[in-house]
Amino acid sequence: SSPDSLLNRESQRSIFPDTTYGVDSGGDPRVIPDLSFEQFADFHKKFYHPSNSRIYFSGDDDVYTRLEIMDEYLQEFDISPESKPASVINWQKKTYTEPKREVHPYPIGEDQPETHMVMTNWLVNDEPMSSFDELTIGIMDHLLMGTSSSILRKTLMESGYGEAITGGGLSDELLQATFSVGMKGVKPEDVPKLEKLIIDTLEKVAAEGFEPDDIASSMNTIEFQLREFNTGSFPKGLSFMLGAMSKWLYDESPTEALKFEKPLAELKRRIEESGSQVFQDMIKQRLVENTHRTTVEMVPSKTYESEILKEEQDRLDKIKASLSDEEIQKVIETTKKLKELQAAEDSPEDRATIPTLKLSDLKRETTEYPIEVTENESNSGVTVLRHELGSTSGIVYAVLGVDLSNLPVDDIPLLPLMTRMMMENGAGEYDQVALSRRIGTHTGGIDTQILTTAVHPEGSQESEVLDGNYLQTKLIMKGKATSDKADELFSLMKTILTEGRFDSKTRVIEILKEDKSRMEARIRGSGHQAINMRMKARYRVGGYVDEMMGGISQLETIRELLKQAEEDWPSLLARLENMRSVLLANEYCRDGMFVDITGDKAVLEKVQPTIDTFLAGLPGDSSGKKLPNFYIEEHPWVAPIKKLMADFVPVKDEGFVVPTQVSYVGKGGILYDQGETATGASQVVSKFLRTGYLWDYVRVMGGAYGGFCTFSPYSGFFSYLSYRDPNLSKTLDIYDAAGDAVIAAAEQMKTDPEMLSQAIIGTIGDMDGALSPDQKGFTQMQRWLVNESAEYRQEFRNQILDTKPEDFKAFGERLKAMKEPSTAVISSQAAFEAAKKDGKDFDLKTVL
C-alpha cells in the first residue's frame, strides 16, 4: 500500500539474495496464509527463548534484587541449545561481479502522473568493520547526504530528474551496512540519466574530494551529536541499550558501539594529515569499485491494486471451494473461539504475575522547570525567558519567537515554504552551501517551525474548555551551540530571520516538488495523522490553521504553488518577500518577539553579553507600537478563518481516495463544550481506550497495525483513529460501541481496582517521560505562552491520580452522546464502495 515501502523492500531483497535480510521481517501478506500454526508455534518456541535473549538493566536499583527477579523468571526454562546457533545471521558475501537491475510495479491512482521510482543500492561490507571505519563512513554519509547542500543530495535535487530523494544514504542498523540513494517522481526517459548521475557524482567526489569547510562542518555536527547525546524524551538508558545492540546482537562487545573518543581522535589525525583522502578512499572502495550493487526501478501501474485484490479473492474462493461443509463450519467455529479468546480480559491472577508499579510508587507533585521572565529587557522591547538548569554540559539552547498575527490569513499556507527557504537557500552573504557549512561548523543546529496554540484568556478558569478564539501564533527559530560559540549562533539566527533568501525560482520549485512527494507519501503511509488533522479543522480555529499548513489541504496548496512558481514566479516571490516585511514591520515586530534561553548558571552568565548584542540588533523599533493583548482580545485570524471553515471543512463525513489496500479510519467530535470542565480523569479513560478496548478490537481482533484515540481537555475534541487498517465499516462500528465498553469497564473496576490503577499509572507514565535540557526549557516556555499556572497543572495531576470508576462511566456517557460527530477516512475506491453497501456513505475526494 506504500510505494516507498515497496521500493525499500525490493531494494533490501535485491542486495541480500542469500540471507535472512532478503525476506520481509514483518511477513508478506501474500505468503503469510501458507504458514501453519504448527510452524508458527515451533518458530516461537525455538527463537523466543531466554537462551537466545539479551537482558539489560538500567537505573540505580539494587543489583542483587535485579538478579533475583531475573532468576525467578528464568528458572522456569530449560536450556535450548539450538535456539542461539539457529538464529545466527549469516554474512551476505559480495557475490555480484557486475551491478544488477530489477523492475517492479507499484500502484497509482487513475489521475496520478505515471512517474517512476529509482534507487541504487550497495552492500557496503561483507566482513566486520572497525570502529574507525564505522565512524568514518558515518561522516562520509553526512558529507554526501546529510543536509540539503550535501554534494550528492544537492546534485540530484538540482538535476530535475525527480521530485524527491529516496533511500537517504547509509543504513547501519543490521549486521552489514548498506547505502541506498535515488529519486521518486522520475520520468521514464530520465531513469538512465539519473542512474548515471549517481555514479558520476560518486566518482567525481572519489577523485576530487570534499572541501575543507564541508569536512569541518560535518565533523562538528556529528561530534556535537555524540557529545550532547540528546535523546529527547526517549530514556537515555534505552538509548544506550539500542546503541549496544548493534554489536551485542552479533556476539560482539555491547559497550564497543558506545565508544567514540578513540576513533574520533584517529579520524581527526587522518584529516589533519591528508585532508579529504580518508573519505575519498572510503567512497572509492565501498561504493565506486563495489560491484555488489543493484538498481531497483518501480514502474507505475493503475491496475496493480485490483490485480492483487483479485489474486487474493481468487485464492480464497479456491480454498473455500475445496472445503466440505463440515470443514467450513469448523473454520467458523475456530474463528469464533479465537475472537472470544482475543476479547477476553486477563484475569487479576494472570496480571499479578507481571511486576508492576503501584499507585503509591508515583509522586503526586507535578514537575516544574525554572523560568525567569524579563519583559522589555534592556529597553529592547523584547521579552526574555531564562531557564537555569543544573547542568547543560556547556551548551546554550536558544529560541527566538516572532509574532505572526499581522499576516493575512491567505498567507498562512505559505508559511512552511517560507520557513524552509529561510533555512535552505542561503542568507545574507552566505549562499545555500556556505550557510549550511557555517551552521554545521559553529553550532549544533538551527531549525525553524510554526507554533500555533490556544491560550487561557486573562481572568478565565483554567479548568474550563477553551473556545479556541484566543491564540498565540509564532514563528519559532531554535538553535544550540557551546557557550563559546554563542555569538556565532545568535548572529546566524538574526541573519536567517532578516536576510534569508527567497529569490531562487529553481530552489523553490525543488522544495515544492520535494514537499509534494513527502506529503503524498505521508498520506499513504501515515494517513491517521492526516485524517486527525482534517477532523480537528472542522471544530476549532487552531485545528484549521494546522490543516492549512500540514494537512490534506496543504497538499492542494503545494500543487497550486508549484504551478505558480513555474508559470508566474515574480508574483510568488513578491508574496514571500511581503510576508517577511509584514512579520518584521518596524513599528510592531519587537512587541511580539521573545527570546528563550536554557543553560546552566555558568552558561547563562557567559552568553549574557551576546544576548545584549542580539537584542540590540534585532529588527524593529524598541519603543514601537504594541500588538493587541491576545489574552484579552480575539486573534485577528479567528473571524476570517471561521468563514473558511464553514465553506471548506463543514462538519461532514469525508472519504479521501488513494490507491491502497489498507484504510485509515477516523471519527471525531466534541465531548465537552466551551465552559465545561474536562478533568484529569479524562486522560485516564483515553489511555485505557488506547491500550485496552481499541488495542483489542481494532488491532488484535481487527488486524489493523494500530488503533488509538486522542482527547484534548483544552478544546474538548475527541477522535478515534486506526492505522493501516484492513477494515472500514467494522472499525466505525467498534468506535460506536466504545462508550458502552467504557461504562462496562467502570463496573468491572469496582471489583477489580488493579485494572483502574494500571490505567492511572500508564497515564502518569506518559506525562513523566524524561526530558532533555532543551525540552525542559521549551516545555516551560510553552506553559508561559499558554498562560497556564503551576496550580492548575497540580490540580490536573491530582485528578488523574484520584480517578474513580464513576469518572469512567461519566466519560463513557459523553462518548455515546458525542456532539456533531463526523468521520474522515483515507482508503481505496473499492473499500468506500463496500462501506456504502453497509450504510456508511462519504463525501469522496480523490487525492492521489
Side-chain angles (χ1 to χ4, degrees), residues 513-531:
K513 284 183 176 179
E514 191 173 34
D515 284 347
K516 171 179 167 289
S517 182
R518 286 177 179 173
M519 188 71 70
E520 290 171 347
R522 194 179 308 153
I523 287 172
R524 294 177 71 157
S526 302
H528 59 297
Q529 297 173 351
I531 59 174

Side-chain angles (χ1 to χ4, degrees), residues 529-543:
Q529 297 173 351
I531 59 174
N532 197 40
M533 209 174 284
R534 186 71 170 196
M535 291 188 293
K536 286 181 180 179
R538 300 169 185 160
Y539 302 97
R540 293 290 184 259
V541 170

Side-chain angles (χ1 to χ4, degrees), residues 127-194:
E127 57 185 26
M129 290 191 290
S130 67
S131 56
F132 172 79
D133 285 343
E134 289 173 340
L135 178 63
T136 302
I137 204 168
I139 306 280
M140 178 204 79
D141 177 59
H142 191 271
L143 284 161
L144 290 171
M145 299 288 295
T147 71
S148 61
S149 63
S150 296
I151 182 65
L152 184 54
R153 178 180 291 272
K154 186 172 185 288
T155 300
L156 296 187
M157 285 305 300
E158 289 180 348
S159 72
Y161 291 151
E163 293 182 348
I165 300 294
T166 60
L170 180 70
S171 175
D172 57 1
E173 297 175 348
L174 304 178
L175 174 65
Q176 295 171 259
T178 60
F179 189 92
S180 298
V181 64
M183 300 191 80
K184 51 187 174 181
V186 182
K187 295 177 182 177
E189 61 270 24
D190 288 335
V191 169
K193 300 175 188 175
L194 174 61

